[in-house]
Amino acid sequence: MSSHSLSLQHLVALVAIKHLCPLAVFQTVTKDFLEHLYPIAPLIHVPFFSSQIQERLYPTNPNFLRLCLSLCAIPIASLPRKANIYRFGYYASTKDMVNRACQLVAASRIATSPDWAESPSFNDLICSLSLGMASHYAQCPSRRWALINESIHCCRSLGLYHKDGYRDLNAVEIEIGKRAFWMLYFVQIHDHISHTEPYRLGISSSSLNLG
């Protein structure tokens, strides 16, 4: 086995819930998401997600691990009254904890699905969108913008902007896909209203000198 394969296996072993927070804190954060924040981020099928939590699939299923880390970032970033519980005396700020969640998701993707961006899945869409929301709440605008654009790429790759993209999906996937699409649609409308000048390099073509 190559050293490259060994290094990826080692990285997989490193990424775990415990590297974000203790299991008891994770269970609290997950419960708070389902009870308080699911209505504003209805991006999972609650019975299925809850059954996977009870079965503790996150140590062996990288996709579910990334989903858990991404969803946890939302209450961490948006429930300041719980900050002392969530940060458990380790993180200096909520932003630091959200940063860690983003880093762990990125590490897991590199280790188990390095080419995910070429053919993103529903899981990738939900993870990027959830982390984008959390980054917005944690006042990390640059990373929020990068993650929302990542989500838009996933949405387009999955074809969720037209009917044909839903043809081979089951009922749950159809509903979640539509919710994710409309969330991203309204984010784009909000950005268009908030930023009358489009995002650009800030230089004119006449000033370019590329040799």
Side-chain angles (χ1 to χ4, degrees):
M1 185 178 293
S2 69
S3 60
H4 176 66
S5 298
L6 286 173
S7 65
L8 288 183
Q9 285 187 351
H10 182 62
L11 186 56
V12 172
L14 285 177
V15 180
I17 293 295
K18 67 181 180 180
H19 296 109
L20 177 68
C21 60
L23 186 57
V25 175
F26 165 70
Q27 291 170 342
T28 298
V29 175
T30 303
K31 183 173 182 252
D32 287 344
F33 171 79
L34 293 174
E35 291 184 357
H36 303 297
L37 292 168
Y38 172 76
I40 66 169
L43 298 172
I44 57 170
H45 183 251
V46 172
F48 185 58
F49 178 81
S50 299
S51 69
Q52 289 183 308
I53 288 287
Q54 290 179 353
E55 293 174 27
R56 297 196 175 192
L57 295 184
Y58 36 83
T60 57
N61 185 325
N63 284 329
F64 188 60
L65 170 66
R66 291 192 288 272
L67 180 63
C68 289
L69 292 168
S70 302
L71 293 177
C72 279
I74 297 176
I76 289 168
S78 57
L79 295 177
R81 68 182 183 279
K82 296 287 190 77
N84 290 335
I85 298 173
Y86 294 164
R87 282 152 48 185
F88 64 97
Y90 179 79
Y91 295 96
S93 68
T94 294
K95 185 181 292 187
D96 288 344
M97 195 170 185
V98 173
N99 287 344
R100 174 63 64 85
C102 293
Q103 292 159 5
L104 290 172
V105 170
S108 177
R109 279 174 166 171
I110 291 169
T112 64
S113 185
D115 298 322
W116 71 270
E118 295 301 320
S119 184
S121 65
F122 256 79
N123 181 272
D124 294 318
L125 169 61
I126 303 312
C127 289
S128 295
L129 182 50
S130 298
L131 292 174
M133 292 177 64
S135 297
H136 175 71
Y137 296 141
Q139 299 182 17
C140 302
S142 296
R143 189 178 62 222
R144 171 261 186 193
W145 181 244
L147 286 163
I148 290 300
N149 274 292
E150 198 172 89
S151 306
I152 293 169
H153 163 67
C154 294
C155 189
R156 291 188 61 84
S157 296
L158 291 166
L160 301 182
Y161 58 94
H162 57 71
K163 290 182 179 180
D164 289 346
Y166 298 87
R167 181 176 299 166
D168 299 323
L169 304 182
N170 61 44
V172 171
E173 291 172 334
I174 290 172
E175 183 61 29
I176 292 175
K178 288 180 178 179
R179 292 175 183 180
F181 169 82
W182 284 112
M183 288 175 69
L184 287 169
Y185 179 81
F186 286 117
V187 166
Q188 287 195 306
I189 294 298
H190 176 269
D191 282 346
H192 180 71
I193 295 172
S194 301
H195 305 282
T196 54
E197 289 291 324
Y199 288 96
R200 57 191 179 189
L201 292 175
I203 54 179
S204 64
S205 58
S206 61
S207 67
L208 288 174
N209 182 8
L210 303 180

